Amino acid sequence: MVGAHPGTVVVSARDEVLARLRAARDAGGATAPEVPREYRRSGTAPPGSAEVVDRLVETLTDYKATVHRVADEDDVSATIADILENAGVTTFVAPPGLPARWLGEVTARVRPDEPPLSVAKLDAVDAVVTGAAVAIADTGTFVLDALAPDQGRRAITLVPDHHVCVVRAADVVSSVPEGIARLDPTHPLTFVSGPSATSDIELDRVEGVHGPRRLDVVLVAPRA
Amino acid sequence: MTDPGVTDLGVTDLGMPTVASDPYGHLRGSEPFPVAARRSLADTQLRQNLGHATRTIRAKRAGVVAEVDDWEELRRAGEGIKADVMARLPELLVQFEEAVTARGGVVHWARDAVEANRIVVDLVRGTGAQEVVKVKSMATQETGLNEALGEAGIAALETDLAELIVQLSDDRPSHFLVPAIHRNRSEIRDIFLREMPDVDPELTDEPRLLAMAARAHLRRKFLSARVGISGVNFAVADTGTISVVESEGNGRMCLTLPDTLITVMGVEKIVPTWSDLEVFLQLLPRSSTGERMNPYTSTWSGVTPGDGPQTFHLVLLDNGRSNVLASPDGRQALHCIRCSACLNVCPVYERAGGHAYGSVYPGPIGAVLTPQLTGIQGTDDVSASLPYASTLCGACFDACPVRIDIPHLLVQQRAAAVDAHTRPTTQDVAMRAAAAAMSSPGRFSLVERALKLGRLIGRSGRIRSVPGPGAAAWFGARDMPTPPAETFRQWWARTRGPSS
Ligand code: SF4
């Protein structure tokens, strides 16, 4: 149809949408206001402090994660071994860079995700064990970075029905802004706050839909 | 021949802010609000379901908002960021497009719903897939993507629990967050028993078991899906990062397991920088599900080798948004982060329900967004009835995490509806004057206080004049009955509390 009518031009959707938006923006006002940022951008207590760690235990527990507190990283492997055994886990997946010392006493069979397991294989394992990039005490959240060697690609923490996540006190911050500041936005990230849940039935929260239905957090934090 | 995505048109058409196309009638309802609302009001089951659900969520929201001592500062930051985005929207979109493209994503632009649907249908066809899994998205509800895919022989499977309930029962969504809010647990059980082939016939209406039934129903589909379709909550201009906020893990399934991901995004979803998420990830979950944080938020940028879909398409959608942006005040409606708090606190929504609005955007924000997206065409346009679906009580403004002045926009849209009349009636003239008088909650309160003063002077039982901007014009057209001792807003604040 190009050239069908004299005086017409061919315009891509991109150019047209941008032209419309420019015209509309100019008509409605193009002055960018100063954004008031008077909210708290740092936490009430320093990262890793006893106060922050205690709050994380509260908020995680409130949203139905089970928290296991250990004083020393040497105790992690015994705790994971207990968790897996009590849950009847026989096989679990681990990201390629999971610290070997976390699994020293574990008797369940580990399937390293290297080379990457198929979705069917992930569906056949009972659990997954990972680390975390950061945890946010105010909201009971930990964040998984798919490019961190001890966290692994997103599918491994999604398909298995039971997730065991190790969080170190040094990675626990108080507030959302502190958490965001520690993350790399170009990596695939998953913010996890409790096991999978829904509010879709009468707007009340019930746990257990498509993501892992069981969530254990091993928190490595020396008692103050 | 022209390429897909390229049309020829007169030079003069270029750059005119344009209203939405609505190929499946998901924006403009089929009857005026009062007619539809009258029917909803007669449905006592519906009113019970809505009353119960909105009461629950109001209490939860109030609890978690009260925990945050800088909530007002966060709201002001949210408002400021969005206003800044509107002032720089075209530039931010170009920056975002560059970042997504640099990271291996393919960006498409759609002028309207029809074009967006065509782009997605063609992309899915290109993969050869007969079925797609979808995570709940308002943008694709707006465009009617599921219908368009269906016409192309592609099955679109909604995976969000509430959306699944709506789809299985061939119903329409009635709420942003919980499209099946109008259904109670036993109705949901009945739908599952009727529509899910492999469901346990002994299924009870315990919410936990209903959630498990949904898990079993969708599991195989997720694990074998080749194409996922999503919307966007926030898109970061400088890094190309997109975020999807959800609860169930169905979003993670759709965003992670398929080979191809197609994301449809209204152009207003942009935020300038990654650190802006520190504001919205606090505002949104507390305002919407009343949680400190929703169970899952996924973020990604383009394509990541070895993780998630290796083909990523992003469709940027105008569909009337340029028309909204052109209005200096009305563009505030584009600030909406779809938390649904304004629906949950609205006395009109609570009674009439979402279907009465006839649009995928119901409630107070829908009443001001829908007519701006569709434009008001003539005197009989049902979109023009939406701004009247409000008591102007102001509860929506108080609840809104980004401080959208919905009462002001409602009054303004009423005036716009009046302007669509060819010959103004007396009521129209009065409405226009009132629009000026009530052009902000502050000014509205002033007039209200003036009316209260009028109580003292209205000896005859009628008030004939009142001070205040625009009030003279309003009272030029009518007398006002003496107002009660307490204004509606005062009554509301006293009986419902500021946070309910
Ligand atoms: S207008 Fe405000 S309160 Fe209503 S849904 Fe949008 S962000 Fe939430």
Tab-separated table of all heavy atoms in Angstrom, chain A residues 53-81:
chain	number	residue	atom	x	y	z
A	53	VAL	N	18.925	-10.262	62.982
A	53	VAL	CA	18.777	-11.710	62.840
A	53	VAL	C	17.524	-12.196	63.584
A	53	VAL	O	16.740	-12.992	63.057
A	53	VAL	CB	20.048	-12.431	63.345
A	53	VAL	CG1	19.808	-13.930	63.467
A	53	VAL	CG2	21.218	-12.155	62.405
A	54	ASP	N	17.283	-11.666	64.784
A	54	ASP	CA	16.086	-12.069	65.533
A	54	ASP	C	14.812	-11.698	64.781
A	54	ASP	O	13.840	-12.446	64.763
A	54	ASP	CB	16.069	-11.401	66.919
A	54	ASP	CG	17.131	-11.999	67.842
A	54	ASP	OD1	17.650	-13.086	67.508
A	54	ASP	OD2	17.435	-11.375	68.877
A	55	ARG	N	14.827	-10.513	64.187
A	55	ARG	CA	13.634	-10.083	63.440
A	55	ARG	C	13.401	-11.008	62.239
A	55	ARG	O	12.264	-11.356	61.926
A	55	ARG	CB	13.807	-8.625	62.989
A	55	ARG	CG	12.666	-8.063	62.160
A	55	ARG	CD	11.354	-7.985	62.929
A	55	ARG	NE	10.262	-7.452	62.098
A	55	ARG	CZ	8.981	-7.758	62.262
A	55	ARG	NH1	8.602	-8.577	63.239
A	55	ARG	NH2	8.053	-7.245	61.474
A	56	LEU	N	14.486	-11.403	61.582
A	56	LEU	CA	14.345	-12.312	60.437
A	56	LEU	C	13.714	-13.636	60.883
A	56	LEU	O	12.848	-14.180	60.189
A	56	LEU	CB	15.702	-12.561	59.770
A	56	LEU	CG	15.663	-13.528	58.576
A	56	LEU	CD1	14.870	-12.919	57.412
A	56	LEU	CD2	17.066	-13.898	58.110
A	57	VAL	N	14.145	-14.141	62.025
A	57	VAL	CA	13.569	-15.394	62.516
A	57	VAL	C	12.052	-15.224	62.700
A	57	VAL	O	11.259	-16.073	62.283
A	57	VAL	CB	14.231	-15.820	63.855
A	57	VAL	CG1	13.534	-17.046	64.438
A	57	VAL	CG2	15.715	-16.099	63.633
A	58	GLU	N	11.658	-14.093	63.273
A	58	GLU	CA	10.222	-13.826	63.485
A	58	GLU	C	9.446	-13.766	62.171
A	58	GLU	O	8.400	-14.387	62.028
A	58	GLU	CB	10.056	-12.435	64.116
A	58	GLU	CG	9.984	-12.377	65.611
A	58	GLU	CD	10.012	-10.903	66.062
A	58	GLU	OE1	9.387	-10.026	65.395
A	58	GLU	OE2	10.693	-10.656	67.051
A	59	THR	N	9.957	-12.981	61.216
A	59	THR	CA	9.193	-12.771	59.988
A	59	THR	C	9.180	-14.032	59.115
A	59	THR	O	8.173	-14.325	58.477
A	59	THR	CB	9.737	-11.578	59.176
A	59	THR	OG1	11.142	-11.734	59.001
A	59	THR	CG2	9.455	-10.264	59.880
A	60	LEU	N	10.287	-14.777	59.111
A	60	LEU	CA	10.293	-16.033	58.348
A	60	LEU	C	9.271	-17.001	58.934
A	60	LEU	O	8.475	-17.614	58.211
A	60	LEU	CB	11.680	-16.689	58.398
A	60	LEU	CG	12.775	-16.164	57.476
A	60	LEU	CD1	14.116	-16.772	57.867
A	60	LEU	CD2	12.456	-16.482	56.013
A	61	THR	N	9.279	-17.103	60.261
A	61	THR	CA	8.394	-18.045	60.930
A	61	THR	C	6.934	-17.639	60.724
A	61	THR	O	6.064	-18.480	60.524
A	61	THR	CB	8.729	-18.084	62.440
A	61	THR	OG1	10.137	-18.271	62.575
A	61	THR	CG2	7.997	-19.211	63.135
A	62	ASP	N	6.698	-16.340	60.766
A	62	ASP	CA	5.334	-15.843	60.599
A	62	ASP	C	4.749	-16.286	59.257
A	62	ASP	O	3.554	-16.546	59.144
A	62	ASP	CB	5.361	-14.317	60.701
A	62	ASP	CG	3.981	-13.741	60.955
A	62	ASP	OD1	3.130	-14.478	61.504
A	62	ASP	OD2	3.754	-12.571	60.607
A	63	TYR	N	5.581	-16.369	58.221
A	63	TYR	CA	5.098	-16.809	56.916
A	63	TYR	C	5.428	-18.266	56.641
A	63	TYR	O	5.636	-18.677	55.510
A	63	TYR	CB	5.589	-15.878	55.808
A	63	TYR	CG	4.817	-14.569	55.775
A	63	TYR	CD1	5.319	-13.436	55.161
A	63	TYR	CD2	3.551	-14.469	56.368
A	63	TYR	CE1	4.603	-12.243	55.136
A	63	TYR	CE2	2.834	-13.279	56.355
A	63	TYR	CZ	3.358	-12.166	55.745
A	63	TYR	OH	2.650	-10.987	55.720
A	64	LYS	N	5.505	-19.060	57.717
A	64	LYS	CA	5.488	-20.521	57.620
A	64	LYS	C	6.746	-21.151	57.047
A	64	LYS	O	6.718	-22.259	56.538
A	64	LYS	CB	4.274	-21.009	56.806
A	64	LYS	CG	2.919	-20.494	57.291
A	64	LYS	CD	2.564	-21.105	58.628
A	64	LYS	CE	1.150	-20.786	59.097
A	64	LYS	NZ	0.711	-19.402	59.026
A	65	ALA	N	7.872	-20.437	57.132
A	65	ALA	CA	9.147	-21.105	56.890
A	65	ALA	C	9.604	-21.662	58.233
A	65	ALA	O	9.287	-21.099	59.274
A	65	ALA	CB	10.171	-20.112	56.343
A	66	THR	N	10.346	-22.781	58.211
A	66	THR	CA	10.883	-23.328	59.458
A	66	THR	C	12.333	-22.887	59.576
A	66	THR	O	13.129	-23.108	58.648
A	66	THR	CB	10.801	-24.867	59.436
A	66	THR	OG1	9.463	-25.229	59.079
A	66	THR	CG2	11.139	-25.448	60.794
A	67	VAL	N	12.662	-22.229	60.683
A	67	VAL	CA	14.007	-21.687	60.838
A	67	VAL	C	14.815	-22.567	61.781
A	67	VAL	O	14.335	-22.960	62.846
A	67	VAL	CB	13.959	-20.250	61.386
A	67	VAL	CG1	15.377	-19.685	61.496
A	67	VAL	CG2	13.101	-19.365	60.495
A	68	HIS	N	16.045	-22.910	61.375
A	68	HIS	CA	16.961	-23.702	62.197
A	68	HIS	C	18.177	-22.835	62.420
A	68	HIS	O	18.892	-22.520	61.470
A	68	HIS	CB	17.377	-24.989	61.476
A	68	HIS	CG	16.215	-25.758	60.911
A	68	HIS	ND1	15.667	-26.841	61.546
A	68	HIS	CD2	15.494	-25.554	59.783
A	68	HIS	CE1	14.648	-27.292	60.815
A	68	HIS	NE2	14.528	-26.529	59.741
A	69	ARG	N	18.391	-22.436	63.661
A	69	ARG	CA	19.485	-21.514	63.915
A	69	ARG	C	20.709	-22.288	64.377
A	69	ARG	O	20.616	-23.103	65.301
A	69	ARG	CB	19.023	-20.553	64.993
A	69	ARG	CG	19.729	-19.257	64.927
A	69	ARG	CD	19.015	-18.223	65.745
A	69	ARG	NE	19.968	-17.174	66.013
A	69	ARG	CZ	19.639	-15.997	66.494
A	69	ARG	NH1	18.378	-15.738	66.798
A	69	ARG	NH2	20.560	-15.090	66.698
A	70	VAL	N	21.839	-22.055	63.723
A	70	VAL	CA	23.081	-22.696	64.177
A	70	VAL	C	24.108	-21.604	64.440
A	70	VAL	O	24.069	-20.537	63.823
A	70	VAL	CB	23.636	-23.703	63.137
A	70	VAL	CG1	22.648	-24.826	62.896
A	70	VAL	CG2	24.008	-23.020	61.835
A	71	ALA	N	25.021	-21.883	65.393
A	71	ALA	CA	25.951	-20.844	65.811
A	71	ALA	C	27.165	-20.764	64.896
A	71	ALA	O	27.812	-19.736	64.793
A	71	ALA	CB	26.394	-21.093	67.246
A	72	ASP	N	27.444	-21.857	64.204
A	72	ASP	CA	28.691	-21.920	63.473
A	72	ASP	C	28.480	-22.650	62.151
A	72	ASP	O	27.659	-23.564	62.070
A	72	ASP	CB	29.703	-22.697	64.334
A	72	ASP	CG	31.103	-22.571	63.787
A	72	ASP	OD1	31.400	-23.225	62.755
A	72	ASP	OD2	31.884	-21.810	64.391
A	73	GLU	N	29.218	-22.264	61.125
A	73	GLU	CA	29.055	-22.894	59.821
A	73	GLU	C	29.388	-24.388	59.864
A	73	GLU	O	28.897	-25.165	59.045
A	73	GLU	CB	29.890	-22.162	58.765
A	73	GLU	CG	29.352	-22.428	57.372
A	73	GLU	CD	29.722	-21.367	56.346
A	73	GLU	OE1	30.017	-20.224	56.721
A	73	GLU	OE2	29.711	-21.726	55.148
A	74	ASP	N	30.198	-24.800	60.857
A	74	ASP	CA	30.517	-26.223	60.997
A	74	ASP	C	29.291	-27.049	61.371
A	74	ASP	O	29.270	-28.267	61.187
A	74	ASP	CB	31.592	-26.432	62.077
A	74	ASP	CG	32.953	-25.912	61.621
A	74	ASP	OD1	33.152	-25.828	60.382
A	74	ASP	OD2	33.780	-25.574	62.483
A	75	ASP	N	28.263	-26.383	61.927
A	75	ASP	CA	27.061	-27.118	62.345
A	75	ASP	C	26.032	-27.265	61.223
A	75	ASP	O	25.009	-27.923	61.406
A	75	ASP	CB	26.387	-26.397	63.520
A	75	ASP	CG	27.364	-26.177	64.674
A	75	ASP	OD1	28.275	-27.014	64.828
A	75	ASP	OD2	27.210	-25.164	65.391
A	76	VAL	N	26.296	-26.614	60.090
A	76	VAL	CA	25.297	-26.604	59.017
A	76	VAL	C	25.007	-28.012	58.514
A	76	VAL	O	23.851	-28.413	58.345
A	76	VAL	CB	25.754	-25.685	57.856
A	76	VAL	CG1	24.898	-25.887	56.624
A	76	VAL	CG2	25.717	-24.231	58.304
A	77	SER	N	26.048	-28.798	58.297
A	77	SER	CA	25.831	-30.080	57.626
A	77	SER	C	25.005	-31.030	58.501
A	77	SER	O	24.125	-31.730	57.998
A	77	SER	CB	27.171	-30.675	57.183
A	77	SER	OG	27.647	-31.604	58.104
A	78	ALA	N	25.218	-31.007	59.826
A	78	ALA	CA	24.413	-31.876	60.697
A	78	ALA	C	22.947	-31.438	60.659
A	78	ALA	O	22.030	-32.272	60.654
A	78	ALA	CB	24.946	-31.824	62.123
A	79	THR	N	22.733	-30.138	60.626
A	79	THR	CA	21.358	-29.624	60.605
A	79	THR	C	20.655	-30.000	59.305
A	79	THR	O	19.504	-30.452	59.315
A	79	THR	CB	21.380	-28.091	60.781
A	79	THR	OG1	22.121	-27.791	61.956
A	79	THR	CG2	19.976	-27.537	60.902
A	80	ILE	N	21.346	-29.815	58.189
A	80	ILE	CA	20.747	-30.193	56.904
A	80	ILE	C	20.458	-31.697	56.896
A	80	ILE	O	19.387	-32.129	56.446
A	80	ILE	CB	21.663	-29.799	55.722
A	80	ILE	CG1	21.765	-28.270	55.635
A	80	ILE	CG2	21.134	-30.368	54.406
A	80	ILE	CD1	22.673	-27.768	54.527
A	81	ALA	N	21.405	-32.469	57.420
A	81	ALA	CA	21.198	-33.927	57.461
A	81	ALA	C	19.913	-34.264	58.219
A	81	ALA	O	19.098	-35.071	57.761
A	81	ALA	CB	22.406	-34.606	58.107
